[in-house]
Amino acid sequence: MKQENKTKSVKKFSIKMLLAMVFGGVLGGFFGVFMYYFHGDLEAFLTTWTKMVQSILVPGLLIVNIVSILAGEFCLWKLKTVCDRIATAEDEEADLVSYQEEKYGAILQCVNAVSQVLCIFLLANGYQIGYIESSNKNAINILIACGLFVACFFYNGIMQARYIKLLQTVHPEKRGDISSRKFQQQWLESCDEAEKEVIYQSSYKTYIFMSKAIGLLLIVTMLSHLFFKTGIMAILVVGVMYLVLVGKYSCSCVSLRKDRILRS
């Protein structure tokens, strides 16, 4: 029975791999035909897009900073409101309050991440030698843009520290110095078993998701290099990310298994 199940699993896997190869071939053929007819239009669009982003470089970064600050302060205010209810919450309300605390904390983390990615995207479009050397105005714009870029990351770092301090005030058992390289480890050690279970499950789901996402990104970067001549650096970076992800996960599994054997 077990052998039969293994055979069926191998057949299903082989069929899925075959379908994936067929899909990849069809997708590649579609892109080939598409680029044959619209390659010039796409190059013109990308050139126009880059110039448009460069024209709004400073205002765009300024807007990202303002929206990031407003959204961050709003989330922190909501968190303070929720945390004020934790001490007086009854058993039935405690779960809801904990959920709201987790939700607004997650929103705050996402706001920080989105603002950082937008800043990197905007700055990357203007941070080019040709653009900087084309005029003194562009050189000044880059200096201002770099200042706004640093300001955004500085605010996000301060906001992160305020968020951690708020949680440590409400939950005195939570330990960890945010300036320490071992902060995550210290924080995890101070969590109870239920919190650790949530962290472990979320981390594993993230690993599974990222394994698939990086595979897709590798395909995207390879197609981009083929059709838009973006260079191999993007492919190399994504490939290294995949190696680091799988390598770190595999080493952690082996290390944890070894520690369990030594403790027993």
Side-chain angles (χ1 to χ4, degrees):
M1 189 65 180
K2 290 183 179 180
Q3 185 64 34
E4 184 179 350
N5 291 335
K6 289 182 179 179
T7 303
K8 289 182 179 179
S9 298
V10 172
K11 288 182 179 180
K12 288 181 180 179
F13 179 76
S14 301
I15 292 173
K16 288 181 179 180
M17 289 296 294
L18 180 61
L19 291 175
M21 293 170 63
V22 172
F23 176 76
V26 173
L27 187 64
F30 170 78
F31 272 106
V33 174
F34 181 82
M35 291 301 298
Y36 178 79
Y37 289 103
F38 299 102
H39 184 266
D41 294 335
L42 282 174
E43 284 189 343
F45 169 77
L46 291 174
T47 301
T48 304
W49 171 264
T50 301
K51 290 182 177 179
M52 182 188 71
V53 175
Q54 290 173 350
S55 67
I56 61 169
L57 181 60
V58 173
L61 283 166
L62 183 60
I63 291 173
V64 170
N65 272 268
I66 293 173
V67 173
S68 176
I69 291 173
L70 292 176
E73 294 299 327
F74 173 77
C75 290
L76 194 63
W77 172 73
K78 292 294 292 185
L79 272 168
K80 288 180 179 178
T81 304
V82 171
C83 289
D84 289 340
R85 295 164 51 195
I86 291 179
T88 58
E90 300 293 337
D91 292 340
E92 296 181 356
E93 188 185 7
D95 290 338
L96 177 61
V97 174
S98 297
Y99 164 75
Q100 291 176 338
E101 178 188 354
E102 189 74 27
K103 182 180 72 172
Y104 287 113
I107 293 174
L108 180 62
Q109 301 294 331
C110 291
V111 167
N112 288 349
V114 170
S115 65
Q116 292 171 7
V117 170
L118 287 176
C119 283
I120 293 172
F121 170 76
L122 289 170
L123 187 63
N125 279 274
Y127 199 69
Q128 300 173 7
I129 297 298
Y131 172 75
I132 297 173
E133 294 180 344
S134 60
S135 68
N136 292 332
K137 180 182 177 181
N138 290 345
I140 294 173
N141 284 342
I142 283 295
L143 290 176
I144 298 174
C146 288
L148 292 171
F149 177 86
V150 172
C152 181
F153 275 74
F154 179 78
Y155 170 78
N156 287 336
I158 296 298
M159 175 57 67
Q160 185 75 16
R162 292 168 63 191
Y163 170 56
I164 296 300
K165 290 299 182 184
L166 175 62
L167 293 183
Q168 290 177 333
T169 301
V170 179
H171 306 284
E173 72 279 4
K174 292 291 189 295
R175 300 187 305 273
D177 180 6
I178 195 170
S179 63
S180 173
R181 293 187 294 107
K182 296 184 178 181
F183 166 74
Q184 286 82 5
Q185 180 181 348
Q186 295 168 354
W187 183 273
L188 180 61
E189 290 173 353
S190 66
C191 294
D192 59 32
E193 292 303 319
E195 292 171 330
K196 288 180 180 179
E197 183 67 21
V198 171
I199 294 173
Y200 295 152
Q201 290 188 17
S202 299
S203 299
Y204 183 69
K205 289 180 179 179
T206 302
Y207 166 74
I208 297 298
F209 175 80
M210 288 304 300
S211 298
K212 297 176 181 178
I214 290 178
L216 179 61
L217 288 175
L218 274 172
I219 297 175
V220 171
T221 52
M222 290 174 68
L223 290 175
S224 298
H225 176 54
L226 176 64
F227 296 120
F228 303 115
K229 299 179 181 179
T230 54
I232 64 170
M233 182 56 67
I235 303 173
L236 180 62
V237 169
V238 177
V240 170
M241 288 173 57
Y242 183 68
L243 289 175
V244 171
L245 178 68
V246 175
K248 178 59 178 176
Y249 176 79
S250 301
C251 291
S252 295
C253 289
V254 173
S255 178
L256 291 171
R257 181 69 66 178
K258 180 180 179 181
D259 291 341
R260 180 176 296 181
I261 293 174
L262 292 176
R263 285 198 300 268
S264 62

